[in-house]
Amino acid sequence: MANQAPFDVVTSADGRHVAYDTRIECEKKSMCVYVDGKRVAVTEDTVGMSVALSPDGAHIAYVAARKGRPG
């Protein structure tokens, strides 16, 4: 699969932080999750739902599949 532009872009409620997932600059067959432009997670498969940030941007949540199974 070709690299994809960032998607599932979200901002924290205070507007100070942004998070998204993408395949850009990520390992083959993996998705990377970024917060404020820094990679914070690499999943083994696609991110299943939108990335979410806590209101102050201190915490991130996302759902991903592990080796083809929900994780």
Side-chain angles (χ1 to χ4, degrees):
M1 181 176 235
N3 283 344
Q4 298 175 356
F7 56 96
D8 290 335
V9 178
V10 297
T11 58
S12 59
D14 66 8
R16 298 178 63 200
H17 304 279
V18 63
Y20 58 89
D21 55 87
T22 184
R23 288 188 187 276
I24 294 175
E25 298 178 6
C26 197
E27 289 79 13
K28 187 176 182 179
K29 296 184 180 178
S30 295
M31 292 294 285
C32 290
V33 178
Y34 290 81
V35 176
D36 297 334
K38 296 177 186 169
R39 186 166 68 182
V40 296
V42 178
T43 71
E44 295 177 2
D45 208 339
T46 60
V47 174
M49 295 172 54
S50 296
V51 174
L53 282 171
S54 62
D56 63 0
H59 303 281
I60 184 170
Y62 59 92
V63 175
R66 177 172 281 183
K67 296 183 181 178
R69 299 184 323 246

